[in-house]
Amino acid sequence: MEATHEGAQGAALGAAGERTAPRVISDGSVHIYRSDDRAGSGLRELGEVFTDVWQSRELLQQLTLRDIRIRYKQAVMGFGWAIFMPLLVVGAGLLIRFSMAQVSGGELQNAAVGGMAVKALAWSFFVGAIGFATPSLIGSQGLVTKVYFPREILPLSTIVAQTFDSAIGAIALALMLPFLGAVWSVQLLWVPLLAVLLLLFTSAAGLLLSCGNLFFRDVKYIVQVLLTFGIFLTPVFTEPEMFGPLGARILMLNPLSPLLEGLRLVVAEGHNLLDPLVVTSAKGQEILAWTPWDLVYSGAWAVVGLAVSAFIFRRAAMAFAEYV
């Protein structure tokens, strides 16, 4: 299967028109560098990363299509897998919220279900993308050691493929939301921005973790544990105000939390993210559930995190061939 996987990648490289000639082959190893490699400032090097990825967009497209074909080839459920994971998360969340409602004597509202479904889709995208991106370099060792191309393409192609899956899930969710108490308002214009920030943050995490997993093979096991229990540290099943004034602020320190909560607020409640949201608890406490600075906080993690991850990835790429 690995040989087939690498063969498909090699074909994708050829289809994308690889034109860079090798210059240096280090002693005994087979990794190859571009003829114009040279030291530069951090900003210039970062600019080169994004320029290289853009110039290799055809290769990114080919590898993304390959990943999508591999996922659905001989799959009995076909595109049903794209909505299975979010549905599973929503089902688990419903059990938890229903039991909480029974204990507290309250009711489970449709709006709460709709908000949880939106967050479940976003969480499933993040989990799926990171799960595929982390081992992407090790799974392509034949290409990493023999041919030059921007190595960032490998984890990014898995993330774009997961975006395709989530787009299918989003279409299915959009059809169900009118029955789940969704609020159709102008605030839905926030959704594209939140989706882009989620994509940027996921790309940052995918680049860093795929790089780390190449040097330390137990990273993928740590990632599996974090993704398994991370759902309890992220407001997917719950809302921040359920944890009280201090707990809500602590929970929102997770960079994913404001993105998921922002999606819930604009879709399920029609809330303007530029306005703070203060919720009064059953005990009469006023809880700051949302502030515009939460969005700024997550945006900074997404943008700055992607820049830092891309810089670290490019610097570490020089030694990739020695560790695959």
Side-chain angles (χ1 to χ4, degrees), residues 38-58:
R38 56 186 179 275
S41 65
L43 289 178
R44 184 178 66 184
E45 188 171 354
L46 189 60
E48 290 176 354
V49 172
F50 293 104
T51 299
D52 287 349
V53 171
W54 173 251
Q55 291 177 345
S56 301
R57 59 188 180 277
E58 293 181 8

Side-chain angles (χ1 to χ4, degrees), residues 33-321:
Y33 303 98
R34 290 181 301 172
S35 58
D36 61 345
D37 278 347
R38 56 186 179 275
S41 65
L43 289 178
R44 184 178 66 184
E45 188 171 354
L46 189 60
E48 290 176 354
V49 172
F50 293 104
T51 299
D52 287 349
V53 171
W54 173 251
Q55 291 177 345
S56 301
R57 59 188 180 277
E58 293 181 8
L59 173 60
L60 177 61
Q61 179 183 0
Q62 293 291 333
L63 292 180
T64 300
L65 292 174
R66 177 219 64 192
D67 287 339
I68 293 173
R69 293 190 190 102
I70 291 176
R71 291 189 190 187
Y72 291 108
K73 185 178 181 180
Q74 296 179 331
V76 176
M77 290 181 59
F79 292 114
W81 287 107
I83 61 175
F84 177 73
M85 183 64 176
L87 283 177
L88 194 62
V89 174
V90 171
L94 282 175
L95 289 176
I96 294 175
R97 294 296 292 269
F98 180 76
S99 63
M100 293 170 61
Q102 291 297 308
V103 172
S104 63
E107 295 182 358
L108 185 58
Q109 303 293 331
N110 281 348
V113 178
M116 188 165 51
V118 172
K119 293 190 289 185
L121 179 64
W123 173 256
S124 299
F125 162 75
F126 178 77
V127 170
I130 296 302
F132 282 110
T134 300
S136 60
L137 292 176
I138 294 178
S140 307
Q141 53 186 332
L143 292 176
V144 171
T145 57
K146 296 175 182 177
V147 151
Y148 174 78
F149 62 97
R151 307 302 192 234
E152 296 85 357
I153 294 293
L154 293 172
L156 290 179
S157 66
T158 64
I159 294 172
V160 177
Q162 186 64 35
T163 303
F164 173 81
D165 279 7
S166 296
I168 297 174
I171 294 173
L173 179 61
L175 296 176
M176 294 188 297
L177 281 176
F179 305 99
L180 298 176
V183 178
W184 299 103
S185 68
V186 69
Q187 306 307 331
L188 291 176
L189 294 175
W190 285 103
V191 171
L193 174 61
L194 294 168
V196 169
L197 291 178
L198 178 61
L199 178 62
L200 293 180
F201 180 75
T202 304
S203 299
L207 287 174
L208 195 61
L209 292 171
S210 63
C211 178
N213 187 57
L214 189 64
F215 295 103
F216 308 99
R217 300 303 171 90
D218 51 354
V219 167
K220 64 179 179 181
Y221 302 113
I222 298 174
V223 169
Q224 290 172 0
V225 173
L226 292 178
L227 292 179
T228 300
F229 294 98
I231 195 169
F232 301 107
L233 304 175
T234 310
V236 180
F237 298 150
T238 58
E239 282 80 58
E241 56 265 28
M242 294 180 176
F243 297 88
L246 179 60
R249 290 295 90 201
I250 293 176
L251 190 64
M252 293 296 274
L253 291 178
N254 180 341
L256 277 176
S257 296
L259 300 180
L260 270 59
E261 269 302 292
L263 288 170
R264 180 187 71 85
L265 290 173
V266 300
V267 174
E269 298 187 14
H271 180 74
N272 184 358
L273 299 186
L274 294 179
D275 297 331
L277 177 63
V278 178
V279 178
T280 302
S281 68
K283 297 181 179 180
Q285 294 178 306
E286 290 190 346
I287 302 171
L288 182 61
W290 174 266
T291 170
W293 289 109
D294 292 331
L295 184 60
V296 175
Y297 173 74
S298 283
W301 268 94
V303 176
V304 177
L306 181 59
V308 172
S309 296
F311 181 79
I312 294 174
F313 190 100
R314 178 55 62 97
R315 284 295 179 93
M318 304 284 284
F320 279 1

